[in-house]
Amino acid sequence: MKFGFFFQLPCAPQQTEPERYRETLAQIEHGDRLGFNTAWLAELHFYPEFSVMSAPLMVAVAAAQRTRQIRFGTAVSLLPLSDPIRTAEEAATADILSDGRLIFGVGRGTNPLHYGGFNIPMAESRDRFGEALEIVTQAWTADKVNYQGKYYQVKDVAVYPKPVQKPHPPIRIATNSSDTFPLAGQLGYPMFSSLVVVPLPRFRQDIAVYWQHFEAAGHQRTGDEVALLFPLYVAATEAEAQHVPRASLMHYFEVLSRRMVAGDADLDAATRARNKEMQERLQRLTFEEVRENVAIIGTPEQCIERINWLREEFQLSELIGWFNPGGLMPQETVLQSMSRFATHVMPTFH
């Protein structure tokens, strides 16, 4: 079983952007020394309290120069928002500069602020995503790209550089909406998701659909298909688990609930209604419910018990820990939680 950790990079008013990036790079260096497999870097735009990381490939390249073995995953590269030829070039460059340590996580995103900021209609997101993914993989594997789609047309374009990894860096598709699970399964790509976004009962249904489409398309399981993201805090005592991560974690859900309806004017009525329902659910959420259903928070023994259940329940191949959701925990607290996890939890699963 693999273990990764995740960065979204929220920036509160009392924090500076350079400070947040310095802390991120220091945490990645720490994770590399501790033996984590992957640092996952989110791409988000136009909402600094939620994240100031808009260019995760640049962060991956910077971190690669400071580390030895940890891999770098985009979580996710929002394919509809960029020209796919440029995306292929930049990701291949990142793969080269990281000595072949890139994992290309992709998604279309569902935030209307992103689409409005880049002047792309959200209604085009699904088709643009499918076309862009085809173009990127062709750019990495073919001498020349030829593609005629609804949104992208490419004729005899030779794209360089090519990535170090052959035939190309591993691709993983984010599956946070129910209609993406069957697409990921049909294409045979590994997926990753988060119970932060997908409620547990719906995730059970959605992952069953993923496996149905995966097997119907004739793909063979490798054991690397399912990666899940969880807010994670390893405490020395139950009292610490109750107290230390609470404020930062609940701040994240408060910010998320506000973000859910930002830019809603650009959405159709059904999506607006779904976002409003999720906003109301998030506003009712308690720390105790987060611990029960969404996060992994507790002593090492409690964390091991929960991870064992998750691994058996969902055939979990990689657990991705989010050690500072909300971004308000002090750096030393985050590093200590990472160390406890690597020392007292990870060895159980190796």
Side-chain angles (χ1 to χ4, degrees), residues 168-241:
H168 53 69
I171 293 172
R172 192 175 283 274
I173 295 182
T175 53
N176 288 324
S177 58
S178 292
D179 48 3
T180 308
F181 283 84
L183 172 66
Q186 182 181 355
L187 294 174
Y189 285 123
M191 49 75 70
F192 61 94
S193 192
S194 171
L195 300 187
V196 170
V197 179
V198 186
L200 184 59
R202 178 159 72 83
F203 182 75
R204 281 200 180 94
Q205 297 172 358
D206 288 341
I207 198 168
V209 171
Y210 169 82
W211 286 122
Q212 288 168 7
H213 283 77
F214 186 95
E215 288 160 2
H219 301 297
Q220 298 298 312
R221 298 194 188 197
T222 65
D224 193 40
E225 280 81 15
V226 181
L228 289 178
L229 167 69
F230 297 89
L232 200 161
Y233 184 80
V234 185
T237 64
E238 169 61 19
E240 181 187 338

Coordinates of all heavy atoms in Angstrom, one line a residue, residues 168-241:
H168 N 4.4 7.0 -21.2 CA 4.2 8.3 -20.7 C 4.0 8.2 -19.2 O 3.9 7.1 -18.6 CB 2.9 8.9 -21.4 CG 1.7 8.1 -21.3 ND1 1.0 7.9 -20.1 CD2 1.0 7.4 -22.2 CE1 0.0 7.1 -20.3 NE2 -0.1 6.8 -21.6
P169 N 4.0 9.4 -18.5 CA 3.8 9.3 -17.0 C 2.4 8.6 -16.7 O 1.5 8.7 -17.5 CB 3.8 10.8 -16.6 CG 4.6 11.5 -17.7 CD 4.3 10.7 -19.0
P170 N 2.4 8.0 -15.6 CA 1.1 7.4 -15.2 C 0.0 8.4 -15.1 O 0.2 9.6 -14.7 CB 1.4 6.8 -13.7 CG 2.8 6.7 -13.7 CD 3.4 7.8 -14.6
I171 N -1.2 8.1 -15.6 CA -2.3 9.0 -15.6 C -3.4 8.5 -14.6 O -3.6 7.3 -14.5 CB -3.0 9.0 -17.0 CG1 -2.0 9.7 -18.0 CG2 -4.3 9.8 -17.0 CD1 -2.5 9.7 -19.4
R172 N -3.9 9.4 -13.8 CA -4.9 9.1 -12.8 C -6.1 10.1 -12.9 O -5.8 11.3 -13.0 CB -4.4 9.1 -11.4 CG -5.3 8.4 -10.4 CD -4.6 8.4 -9.0 NE -3.6 7.3 -8.9 CZ -4.0 6.0 -8.5 NH1 -5.2 5.7 -8.3 NH2 -3.0 5.1 -8.4
I173 N -7.3 9.7 -13.0 CA -8.4 10.5 -13.2 C -9.2 10.8 -11.9 O -9.5 9.9 -11.2 CB -9.4 10.0 -14.2 CG1 -8.8 9.9 -15.6 CG2 -10.7 10.8 -14.3 CD1 -9.7 9.3 -16.7
A174 N -9.4 12.1 -11.6 CA -10.2 12.5 -10.4 C -11.6 12.2 -10.7 O -12.2 12.5 -11.7 CB -10.0 14.0 -10.2
T175 N -12.3 11.5 -9.7 CA -13.7 11.1 -9.8 C -14.4 11.6 -8.6 O -14.6 10.9 -7.6 CB -13.8 9.5 -9.9 OG1 -13.0 9.0 -8.7 CG2 -13.2 9.0 -11.1
N176 N -14.9 12.9 -8.7 CA -15.6 13.5 -7.6 C -17.1 13.7 -8.0 O -17.9 14.1 -7.2 CB -15.0 14.8 -7.2 CG -13.7 14.5 -6.4 OD1 -13.6 13.5 -5.7 ND2 -12.7 15.4 -6.6
S177 N -17.4 13.5 -9.3 CA -18.8 13.6 -9.7 C -19.2 12.2 -10.2 O -18.4 11.5 -10.8 CB -19.1 14.6 -10.7 OG -18.3 14.4 -11.9
S178 N -20.5 11.8 -10.0 CA -20.9 10.4 -10.3 C -20.7 10.1 -11.7 O -20.5 8.9 -12.0 CB -22.4 10.3 -9.9 OG -22.5 10.3 -8.5
D179 N -20.8 11.0 -12.6 CA -20.7 10.7 -14.1 C -19.3 10.5 -14.5 O -19.1 10.2 -15.7 CB -21.5 11.7 -14.9 CG -21.1 13.1 -14.6 OD1 -20.3 13.4 -13.7 OD2 -21.7 14.0 -15.2
T180 N -18.3 10.8 -13.7 CA -16.9 10.6 -14.1 C -16.4 9.2 -13.7 O -15.5 8.7 -14.4 CB -16.0 11.6 -13.4 OG1 -16.5 13.0 -13.6 CG2 -14.6 11.6 -13.9
F181 N -17.0 8.5 -12.8 CA -16.6 7.2 -12.4 C -16.7 6.2 -13.6 O -15.8 5.5 -13.8 CB -17.4 6.7 -11.2 CG -17.0 7.2 -9.9 CD1 -17.5 8.5 -9.4 CD2 -16.1 6.5 -9.0 CE1 -17.1 9.0 -8.2 CE2 -15.7 7.0 -7.8 CZ -16.2 8.3 -7.4
P182 N -17.8 6.2 -14.3 CA -17.9 5.3 -15.4 C -16.9 5.6 -16.5 O -16.4 4.7 -17.2 CB -19.3 5.4 -15.9 CG -19.9 6.6 -15.3 CD -19.1 6.8 -14.1
L183 N -16.6 6.9 -16.8 CA -15.6 7.3 -17.8 C -14.2 6.8 -17.4 O -13.5 6.2 -18.2 CB -15.6 8.8 -17.9 CG -14.5 9.4 -18.8 CD1 -14.7 8.9 -20.2 CD2 -14.4 10.9 -18.7
A184 N -13.8 7.0 -16.1 CA -12.5 6.5 -15.7 C -12.4 5.0 -15.8 O -11.4 4.4 -16.2 CB -12.3 6.9 -14.3
G185 N -13.5 4.3 -15.4 CA -13.5 2.8 -15.5 C -13.4 2.3 -17.0 O -12.7 1.4 -17.3
Q186 N -14.2 3.0 -17.9 CA -14.2 2.6 -19.3 C -12.8 2.8 -19.9 O -12.3 1.9 -20.7 CB -15.2 3.4 -20.0 CG -15.4 3.0 -21.5 CD -16.4 3.9 -22.2 OE1 -17.1 4.7 -21.6 NE2 -16.5 3.8 -23.5
L187 N -12.1 3.9 -19.6 CA -10.8 4.2 -20.1 C -9.7 3.3 -19.5 O -8.6 3.2 -20.0 CB -10.5 5.6 -19.9 CG -11.3 6.6 -20.7 CD1 -11.0 8.1 -20.3 CD2 -11.1 6.4 -22.2
G188 N -10.1 2.7 -18.3 CA -9.1 1.8 -17.6 C -8.0 2.6 -16.8 O -7.0 1.9 -16.4
Y189 N -8.3 3.8 -16.5 CA -7.3 4.6 -15.8 C -7.6 4.4 -14.3 O -8.7 4.3 -13.8 CB -7.3 6.1 -16.1 CG -6.7 6.4 -17.4 CD1 -7.4 7.1 -18.4 CD2 -5.4 6.1 -17.7 CE1 -6.9 7.4 -19.7 CE2 -4.8 6.4 -18.9 CZ -5.5 7.1 -19.9 OH -5.0 7.4 -21.1
P190 N -6.5 4.4 -13.5 CA -6.7 4.5 -12.0 C -7.5 5.8 -11.7 O -7.4 6.8 -12.4 CB -5.3 4.5 -11.4 CG -4.4 4.0 -12.5 CD -5.1 4.4 -13.8
M191 N -8.1 5.8 -10.5 CA -8.9 7.0 -10.1 C -8.5 7.4 -8.8 O -7.8 6.7 -8.0 CB -10.4 6.6 -10.1 CG -10.8 5.3 -9.4 SD -10.8 5.4 -7.6 CE -12.2 6.4 -7.3
F192 N -8.8 8.7 -8.4 CA -8.8 9.1 -7.0 C -9.9 10.0 -6.7 O -10.4 10.7 -7.6 CB -7.4 9.7 -6.6 CG -7.0 10.9 -7.4 CD1 -7.2 12.2 -6.8 CD2 -6.3 10.8 -8.6 CE1 -6.8 13.3 -7.5 CE2 -5.9 11.9 -9.2 CZ -6.1 13.2 -8.7
S193 N -10.3 9.9 -5.4 CA -11.5 10.7 -5.0 C -11.3 11.0 -3.5 O -10.2 10.7 -2.9 CB -12.7 9.8 -5.2 OG -13.9 10.5 -5.0
S194 N -12.2 11.7 -3.0 CA -12.1 12.2 -1.6 C -13.5 12.1 -1.0 O -14.5 12.6 -1.6 CB -11.6 13.6 -1.5 OG -11.7 14.1 -0.2
L195 N -13.6 11.6 0.2 CA -14.9 11.6 1.0 C -15.2 13.0 1.5 O -16.3 13.2 2.0 CB -14.8 10.6 2.1 CG -14.6 9.1 1.7 CD1 -14.7 8.2 2.9 CD2 -15.5 8.7 0.6
V196 N -14.2 13.9 1.4 CA -14.5 15.3 1.7 C -15.6 15.8 0.7 O -16.5 16.6 1.1 CB -13.3 16.2 1.5 CG1 -13.6 17.7 1.6 CG2 -12.3 15.8 2.6
V197 N -15.5 15.4 -0.6 CA -16.4 15.9 -1.6 C -17.5 14.9 -1.9 O -18.7 15.3 -2.1 CB -15.6 16.1 -2.9 CG1 -16.5 16.6 -4.0 CG2 -14.5 17.1 -2.7
V198 N -17.2 13.6 -1.8 CA -18.2 12.5 -2.2 C -18.6 11.9 -0.9 O -17.8 11.2 -0.2 CB -17.6 11.5 -3.1 CG1 -18.6 10.5 -3.5 CG2 -16.9 12.1 -4.3
P199 N -19.9 12.0 -0.4 CA -20.4 11.4 0.8 C -20.2 9.9 0.7 O -20.3 9.3 -0.4 CB -21.8 11.8 0.9 CG -22.0 13.0 0.0 CD -20.9 12.9 -1.1
L200 N -19.9 9.2 1.8 CA -19.6 7.8 1.8 C -20.7 6.9 1.2 O -20.3 6.1 0.4 CB -19.4 7.4 3.3 CG -18.9 5.9 3.5 CD1 -17.6 5.7 2.8 CD2 -18.8 5.6 5.0
P201 N -22.0 7.1 1.4 CA -23.0 6.2 0.7 C -22.9 6.4 -0.8 O -23.0 5.4 -1.5 CB -24.3 6.7 1.3 CG -24.0 7.4 2.6 CD -22.6 8.0 2.4
R202 N -22.7 7.6 -1.3 CA -22.6 7.8 -2.7 C -21.3 7.2 -3.3 O -21.3 6.6 -4.4 CB -22.7 9.3 -3.1 CG -22.6 9.5 -4.6 CD -23.2 10.9 -5.0 NE -22.4 12.0 -4.6 CZ -21.4 12.5 -5.3 NH1 -20.9 11.8 -6.4 NH2 -20.7 13.5 -4.9
F203 N -20.2 7.3 -2.5 CA -19.0 6.8 -3.0 C -19.1 5.3 -3.2 O -18.6 4.7 -4.1 CB -17.8 7.1 -2.1 CG -16.5 6.6 -2.5 CD1 -15.8 7.2 -3.6 CD2 -15.9 5.5 -2.0 CE1 -14.6 6.8 -4.0 CE2 -14.7 5.0 -2.4 CZ -14.1 5.7 -3.5
R204 N -19.8 4.6 -2.3 CA -19.9 3.1 -2.4 C -20.6 2.8 -3.7 O -20.2 1.8 -4.4 CB -20.7 2.6 -1.2 CG -20.0 2.4 0.1 CD -20.7 1.4 1.0 NE -20.0 1.3 2.2 CZ -20.2 2.0 3.3 NH1 -21.1 2.9 3.3 NH2 -19.4 1.8 4.4
Q205 N -21.7 3.6 -4.0 CA -22.4 3.3 -5.3 C -21.5 3.6 -6.5 O -21.4 2.9 -7.5 CB -23.6 4.2 -5.3 CG -24.6 3.8 -4.3 CD -25.8 4.8 -4.2 OE1 -25.8 5.8 -5.0 NE2 -26.7 4.6 -3.3
D206 N -20.8 4.8 -6.4 CA -20.0 5.2 -7.6 C -18.8 4.3 -7.9 O -18.5 4.1 -9.0 CB -19.5 6.7 -7.3 CG -20.6 7.7 -7.4 OD1 -21.6 7.4 -7.9 OD2 -20.4 8.8 -6.8
I207 N -18.2 3.8 -6.8 CA -17.0 3.0 -7.1 C -17.4 1.6 -7.6 O -16.7 1.0 -8.4 CB -16.1 2.8 -5.8 CG1 -14.7 2.3 -6.3 CG2 -16.7 1.9 -4.8 CD1 -13.7 2.4 -5.2
A208 N -18.6 1.2 -7.3 CA -19.1 -0.1 -7.9 C -19.4 0.1 -9.4 O -19.1 -0.7 -10.2 CB -20.4 -0.5 -7.2
V209 N -19.8 1.3 -9.8 CA -20.0 1.7 -11.2 C -18.7 1.7 -11.9 O -18.6 1.2 -13.0 CB -20.8 3.0 -11.3 CG1 -20.8 3.5 -12.8 CG2 -22.2 2.8 -10.8
Y210 N -17.7 2.3 -11.2 CA -16.3 2.3 -11.8 C -15.9 0.9 -12.2 O -15.4 0.6 -13.3 CB -15.4 3.0 -10.8 CG -13.9 2.8 -11.2 CD1 -13.3 3.7 -12.1 CD2 -13.1 1.9 -10.6 CE1 -12.0 3.6 -12.4 CE2 -11.8 1.7 -10.8 CZ -11.2 2.6 -11.8 OH -9.8 2.5 -12.1
W211 N -16.0 0.0 -11.2 CA -15.5 -1.4 -11.4 C -16.3 -2.1 -12.5 O -15.8 -2.9 -13.3 CB -15.5 -2.2 -10.1 CG -14.5 -1.8 -9.2 CD1 -14.6 -1.4 -7.9 CD2 -13.0 -1.9 -9.4 NE1 -13.4 -1.1 -7.3 CE2 -12.4 -1.5 -8.2 CE3 -12.3 -2.2 -10.5 CZ2 -11.0 -1.4 -8.1 CZ3 -10.9 -2.2 -10.4 CH2 -10.3 -1.8 -9.2
Q212 N -17.6 -1.8 -12.6 CA -18.5 -2.4 -13.6 C -18.0 -2.0 -15.0 O -17.8 -2.9 -15.9 CB -19.9 -2.0 -13.5 CG -20.6 -2.7 -12.3 CD -21.9 -2.0 -12.0 OE1 -22.4 -1.1 -12.7 NE2 -22.6 -2.4 -10.9
H213 N -17.7 -0.7 -15.2 CA -17.3 -0.2 -16.5 C -15.8 -0.7 -16.8 O -15.5 -0.9 -17.9 CB -17.4 1.3 -16.6 CG -18.8 1.8 -16.8 ND1 -19.7 1.8 -15.8 CD2 -19.4 2.2 -17.9 CE1 -20.9 2.2 -16.3 NE2 -20.7 2.5 -17.5
F214 N -15.0 -0.7 -15.8 CA -13.6 -1.2 -15.9 C -13.5 -2.6 -16.4 O -12.8 -2.9 -17.4 CB -12.9 -1.1 -14.5 CG -11.5 -1.3 -14.5 CD1 -10.5 -0.3 -14.5 CD2 -11.0 -2.6 -14.4 CE1 -9.2 -0.5 -14.5 CE2 -9.6 -2.9 -14.3 CZ -8.7 -1.8 -14.4
E215 N -14.3 -3.5 -15.8 CA -14.3 -4.9 -16.2 C -15.0 -5.1 -17.6 O -14.6 -5.9 -18.4 CB -14.9 -5.7 -15.1 CG -14.0 -5.8 -13.9 CD -14.6 -6.2 -12.6 OE1 -15.9 -6.5 -12.6 OE2 -13.9 -6.2 -11.6
A216 N -16.1 -4.3 -17.8 CA -16.8 -4.5 -19.1 C -16.0 -4.1 -20.3 O -16.1 -4.6 -21.4 CB -18.1 -3.6 -19.0
A217 N -15.0 -3.2 -20.0 CA -14.1 -2.7 -21.1 C -12.9 -3.7 -21.3 O -12.1 -3.5 -22.2 CB -13.6 -1.3 -20.8
G218 N -12.9 -4.7 -20.4 CA -11.8 -5.7 -20.6 C -10.5 -5.4 -20.0 O -9.5 -6.0 -20.2
H219 N -10.5 -4.4 -19.1 CA -9.2 -4.0 -18.4 C -8.9 -5.0 -17.3 O -9.8 -5.6 -16.6 CB -9.3 -2.6 -17.8 CG -9.6 -1.6 -18.9 ND1 -8.8 -1.3 -19.9 CD2 -10.7 -0.7 -19.0 CE1 -9.3 -0.3 -20.7 NE2 -10.5 0.0 -20.1
Q220 N -7.6 -5.2 -17.0 CA -7.1 -6.1 -16.0 C -6.7 -5.2 -14.8 O -6.0 -4.3 -14.9 CB -5.9 -6.9 -16.5 CG -6.3 -7.8 -17.6 CD -7.4 -8.9 -17.3 OE1 -7.3 -9.5 -16.3 NE2 -8.4 -9.0 -18.1
R221 N -7.1 -5.7 -13.6 CA -6.7 -4.9 -12.4 C -5.3 -5.1 -12.1 O -4.7 -6.2 -12.3 CB -7.5 -5.5 -11.2 CG -9.0 -5.3 -11.3 CD -9.7 -5.5 -9.9 NE -11.2 -5.5 -10.1 CZ -12.0 -5.3 -9.0 NH1 -11.5 -5.1 -7.8 NH2 -13.3 -5.3 -9.2
T222 N -4.6 -4.0 -11.7 CA -3.2 -4.1 -11.3 C -3.1 -3.9 -9.8 O -2.0 -4.1 -9.3 CB -2.5 -2.9 -12.0 OG1 -3.0 -1.7 -11.5 CG2 -2.6 -3.0 -13.5
G223 N -4.1 -3.6 -9.1 CA -4.0 -3.3 -7.6 C -3.6 -1.9 -7.3 O -3.5 -1.5 -6.2
D224 N -3.5 -1.0 -8.4 CA -3.1 0.4 -8.2 C -4.3 1.3 -8.5 O -4.0 2.5 -8.7 CB -1.9 0.6 -9.1 CG -1.2 2.0 -8.7 OD1 -1.1 2.3 -7.5 OD2 -0.8 2.7 -9.7
E225 N -5.5 0.8 -8.6 CA -6.6 1.6 -9.2 C -7.1 2.7 -8.2 O -7.5 3.8 -8.7 CB -7.7 0.7 -9.6 CG -7.5 0.0 -10.9 CD -6.6 -1.2 -10.8 OE1 -6.4 -1.7 -9.7 OE2 -6.1 -1.7 -11.9
V226 N -7.2 2.4 -6.9 CA -8.0 3.3 -6.0 C -7.1 4.1 -5.1 O -6.5 3.5 -4.2 CB -9.0 2.4 -5.2 CG1 -9.9 3.4 -4.3 CG2 -9.9 1.6 -6.2
A227 N -7.1 5.4 -5.2 CA -6.5 6.3 -4.3 C -7.5 7.2 -3.7 O -8.4 7.7 -4.4 CB -5.4 7.1 -5.0
L228 N -7.4 7.3 -2.4 CA -8.4 8.2 -1.7 C -7.7 9.2 -0.8 O -6.7 8.9 -0.1 CB -9.4 7.3 -0.8 CG -10.4 6.4 -1.5 CD1 -11.2 5.6 -0.5 CD2 -11.3 7.3 -2.4
L229 N -8.3 10.4 -0.8 CA -7.7 11.5 0.0 C -8.5 11.7 1.3 O -9.8 11.7 1.3 CB -7.8 12.8 -0.8 CG -7.6 14.1 -0.1 CD1 -6.2 14.3 0.3 CD2 -8.0 15.3 -1.1
F230 N -7.8 11.9 2.4 CA -8.5 12.1 3.7 C -7.7 13.2 4.5 O -6.5 13.2 4.5 CB -8.4 10.8 4.6 CG -9.2 9.7 4.0 CD1 -8.6 8.8 3.1 CD2 -10.5 9.5 4.3 CE1 -9.2 7.7 2.6 CE2 -11.2 8.4 3.7 CZ -10.6 7.5 2.9
P231 N -8.4 14.1 5.1 CA -7.8 14.9 6.1 C -7.2 14.0 7.2 O -7.9 13.0 7.6 CB -8.9 15.7 6.7 CG -10.0 15.8 5.6 CD -9.9 14.5 4.9
L232 N -6.0 14.2 7.6 CA -5.3 13.3 8.5 C -4.5 14.0 9.6 O -3.8 14.9 9.3 CB -4.3 12.4 7.6 CG -3.8 11.1 8.1 CD1 -3.3 10.2 6.9 CD2 -2.7 11.2 9.1
Y233 N -4.7 13.5 10.8 CA -3.9 14.0 11.9 C -3.6 12.9 12.9 O -4.6 12.2 13.3 CB -4.6 15.2 12.6 CG -3.8 15.8 13.7 CD1 -2.8 16.7 13.4 CD2 -3.9 15.4 15.0 CE1 -1.9 17.2 14.4 CE2 -3.1 15.9 16.0 CZ -2.1 16.8 15.7 OH -1.3 17.4 16.6
V234 N -2.4 12.7 13.2 CA -1.9 11.6 14.1 C -1.5 12.3 15.4 O -0.6 13.1 15.5 CB -0.8 10.8 13.6 CG1 -0.5 9.6 14.5 CG2 -1.1 10.3 12.2
A235 N -2.3 12.0 16.5 CA -2.1 12.6 17.8 C -1.4 11.6 18.8 O -1.5 10.4 18.6 CB -3.4 13.1 18.3
A236 N -0.8 12.2 19.8 CA -0.2 11.4 20.8 C -1.3 10.8 21.7 O -1.2 9.7 22.3 CB 0.8 12.2 21.6
T237 N -2.4 11.6 21.9 CA -3.5 11.2 22.8 C -4.8 11.5 22.2 O -4.9 12.3 21.2 CB -3.4 11.9 24.1 OG1 -3.6 13.3 23.9 CG2 -2.0 11.7 24.8
E238 N -5.9 10.9 22.7 CA -7.2 11.2 22.2 C -7.6 12.7 22.5 O -8.2 13.3 21.6 CB -8.2 10.3 22.9 CG -9.7 10.6 22.6 CD -10.1 10.6 21.2 OE1 -9.4 10.0 20.3 OE2 -11.1 11.3 20.9
A239 N -7.1 13.2 23.6 CA -7.4 14.6 23.9 C -6.8 15.5 22.9 O -7.4 16.5 22.5 CB -6.9 14.9 25.3
E240 N -5.6 15.2 22.5 CA -4.9 16.0 21.4 C -5.7 15.9 20.1 O -5.9 16.9 19.4 CB -3.5 15.6 21.2 CG -2.7 16.4 20.2 CD -1.3 15.8 19.9 OE1 -0.8 15.1 20.7 OE2 -0.8 16.1 18.8
A241 N -6.1 14.7 19.8 CA -6.9 14.5 18.5 C -8.2 15.3 18.5 O -8.6 15.8 17.5 CB -7.2 13.0 18.4

